[in-house]
Amino acid sequence: MRRPPYVALAVLAVVGVAAAFSPWIVPGATAQDLMTGITGPGPGHPLGTDDLGRDVLELLVAGARTAVPGALAVAAGSMLIGNLIGLAAGYFGGWADTLAMRWADLMFSLPALLVAIVVAGVLGGGYALAIAVLVVLFAPTDTRAVRGAVLEQRHRPYVEAALLKNLSSWRIMTRHIWPNVASVSLAQAFVNFAYALVSLASLSFLGLGVPAGSPDWGRTLADNRTQLLANPWAVIAPGLAVIATAVALNVVGDWLHERVERRGRAR
């Protein structure tokens, strides 16, 4: 088995610390200094300042507090919904499977980000609304992945043995089948986490996510896009933060999927 992706884990660790402790690490991240204005990197401001005199590095650290929890909520919500529907569809089959797959097909036919933009635009935007819409749109990917894995496990000897013991369907699905498809669910959750991070940053960039003035990677990128020549790092830094975090999530997700799957085979 390949070695742990230490660089990706380090990136996620740094982002996680920033998301959890940014109010104490950079308490004055949104403080404005109009006398300073926009400046390039220099003493006291490693990444320079934006046009409002705010330190770009501090905004970057504080931005993790909105970028990460929202994406985590989308991944967790879609994982919960998708796992429940996918387990039922794969285990029971019949009309339950048909309804679940038609719903998934409908959701897959819709461009997720475009739908989120339209819904957020019509209903006035907002961070919570964006998260709720993405949960509904991302859940079908979990549903289809888990359903396929459950179909593979449905007729295994251990499931037949559980049926002979007259165990309830809920117990068989959650206590016996789900642990054997957990690697698929886990890998999909990391993929959704990465996609949700990029999607929420995109919505904030368009003004449909976090409120104006909030320290968020997408919002910071949008606010400073006209200042690219004055201080390129005000634009490059938040963009790199989104890309690096998304790539790290995918790398760690693949590694965990392989690790859990190998451990399951060894049992």
Side-chain angles (χ1 to χ4, degrees):
M1 184 171 61
R2 60 176 178 170
R3 293 187 298 175
Y6 294 111
V7 174
L9 289 170
V11 170
L12 295 185
V14 171
V15 173
V17 169
F21 301 107
S22 59
W24 296 276
I25 298 175
V26 285
T30 57
Q32 300 178 9
D33 185 357
L34 299 180
M35 296 299 294
T36 299
I38 187 167
T39 62
H45 303 290
L47 296 179
T49 58
D50 63 7
D51 57 337
L52 296 177
R54 299 176 298 181
D55 187 277
V56 173
L57 180 58
E58 292 187 1
L59 285 175
L60 196 67
V61 175
R65 189 165 179 82
T66 54
V68 174
L72 181 60
V74 172
S78 61
M79 180 180 179
L80 177 61
I81 296 173
N83 275 249
L84 290 174
I85 298 177
L87 279 170
Y91 182 80
F92 293 111
W95 64 267
D97 187 28
T98 300
L99 285 177
M101 289 302 97
R102 297 298 75 78
W103 168 70
D105 290 341
L106 174 62
M107 291 295 103
F108 276 122
S109 69
L110 302 174
L113 185 57
L114 180 59
V115 172
I117 292 173
V118 172
V119 173
V122 170
L123 298 180
Y127 194 58
L129 176 62
I131 291 173
V133 171
L134 291 178
V135 167
V136 174
L137 294 173
F138 283 16
T141 59
D142 292 88
T143 298
R144 179 165 287 183
V146 172
R147 178 252 187 188
V150 172
L151 286 176
E152 183 185 0
Q153 299 288 325
R154 177 66 178 82
H155 300 291
R156 294 287 180 90
Y158 75 89
V159 177
E160 295 178 359
L163 288 170
L164 290 174
K165 292 182 178 180
N166 292 322
L167 298 181
S168 67
S169 298
W170 176 255
R171 182 179 178 86
I172 293 174
M173 287 190 294
T174 58
R175 297 289 298 275
H176 297 275
I177 296 179
W178 190 84
N180 288 289
V181 302
S183 61
V184 175
S185 178
L186 182 64
Q188 189 60 52
F190 271 85
V191 171
N192 285 345
F193 197 158
Y195 276 125
L197 183 77
V198 176
S199 298
L200 286 172
S202 300
L203 291 173
S204 293
F205 180 85
L206 296 173
L208 299 172
V210 299
S214 300
D216 177 85
W217 293 341
R219 174 65 70 171
T220 301
L221 185 59
D223 291 343
N224 296 315
R225 66 186 185 279
T226 59
Q227 310 296 329
L228 182 60
L229 297 180
N231 181 16
W233 284 106
V235 180
I236 294 173
L240 283 178
V242 173
I243 294 172
T245 307
V247 171
L249 284 166
N250 279 305
V251 171
V252 173
D254 288 343
W255 173 71
L256 286 175
H257 171 64
E258 179 183 334
R259 184 180 179 86
V260 173
E261 193 173 49
R262 283 177 177 270
R263 181 174 295 178
R265 289 175 180 174
R267 290 178 179 175

